[in-house]
Amino acid sequence: MRKLFLFVFMLAFANVMKAQNRDVKLPEAPKQTSYIDYERENSGIWYAIDVEGGSSVMMHNNMQYVNLAVTSGYRFNEFLRIGAGIGCRYYVHNGQVRDTENDFGVPIFANARGNFFSAYDREGVPFWSLNVGGITKEGFFASPTIGYSFGSIRNNFQIGISYTITSFKNCEKTNVAYSYFGLKLGYEF
């Protein structure tokens, strides 16, 4: 019995010693190109989709609008993004104000936007945006926006208050400037 016990003990000891003397193969670095997490990148291409609704702020003959815009450009950092955009604007009650029965306009614009504060340590930050361009068959328009952006650094939802001034011919065939206040909802990625 002692010999059997000694034999099992020696076999187990030899097995343990052999386990200590083996070559361990560590994982190798992948041979593919390195992964880039664009979510964390500070610069690069960006896109935005905005929906806006508003009303003019004149004493009489107010006109409402709904606007959908797509913007794309280059992100220098989180404080400055520059791009261009195109949209579709639908006017409500425009027959009493504009010199056209067409309810639609196509805004084409340049856009500059950015954050007031860094979004690296915050869930949300205030932002600014400025659209300057023209609306087909109307004329010049400019629209600054101040709002709040929440989400991650590159993917975020935005809500803002915009002021828009645009020029067009009114029913008396004279060029007028019209002012609007609007609420803008958007997603930027």
Side-chain angles (χ1 to χ4, degrees):
M1 180 80 172
R2 276 190 210 172
K3 288 182 182 182
L4 182 62
F5 180 69
L6 186 60
F7 177 72
V8 170
F9 179 73
M10 294 294 270
L11 188 61
F13 185 72
N15 213 7
V16 169
M17 292 304 287
K18 186 175 189 250
Q20 299 296 324
N21 189 20
R22 66 181 180 153
D23 289 331
V24 177
K25 188 171 184 175
L26 296 175
E28 296 177 10
K31 293 180 173 103
Q32 63 187 1
T33 60
S34 61
Y35 172 75
I36 298 173
D37 186 8
Y38 290 103
E39 171 77 16
R40 304 298 296 172
E41 287 289 309
N42 200 20
S43 62
I45 303 295
W46 63 272
Y47 301 93
I49 298 172
D50 298 316
V51 175
E52 180 181 8
S55 178
S56 60
V57 288
M58 301 303 208
M59 296 301 280
H60 53 75
N61 293 337
N62 282 324
M63 179 172 58
Q64 294 76 34
Y65 71 94
V66 177
N67 192 51
L68 173 67
V70 176
T71 310
S72 177
Y74 189 78
R75 176 188 169 105
F76 294 96
N77 55 40
E78 64 181 307
F79 303 108
L80 180 62
R81 297 180 286 284
I82 294 178
I86 189 167
C88 181
R89 179 172 287 194
Y90 176 74
Y91 292 102
V92 181
H93 303 123
N94 72 327
Q96 303 166 353
V97 180
R98 295 171 59 217
D99 182 34
T100 180
E101 290 299 318
N102 187 5
D103 292 340
F104 291 95
V106 177
I108 301 170
F109 54 90
N111 176 270
R113 63 175 67 189
N115 295 340
F116 285 111
F117 306 111
S118 176
Y120 278 103
D121 300 330
R122 297 173 178 86
E123 290 286 322
V125 293
F127 77 95
W128 59 272
S129 177
L130 176 64
N131 293 342
V132 177
I135 300 176
T136 57
K137 298 183 181 178
E138 288 185 22
F140 170 81
F141 88 98
S143 179
T145 302
I146 300 287
Y148 191 74
S149 173
F150 52 95
S152 64
I153 293 171
R154 292 290 297 240
N155 295 324
N156 49 54
F157 290 97
Q158 297 177 335
I159 184 168
I161 302 292
S162 66
Y163 172 77
T164 303
I165 187 163
T166 185
S167 65
F168 56 83
K169 287 188 178 183
N170 64 3
C171 291
E172 289 90 36
K173 309 266 189 227
T174 59
N175 284 330
V176 295
Y178 235 65
S179 299
Y180 308 93
F181 278 103
L183 176 66
K184 188 179 282 191
L185 301 173
Y187 181 71
E188 183 178 284
F189 53 99

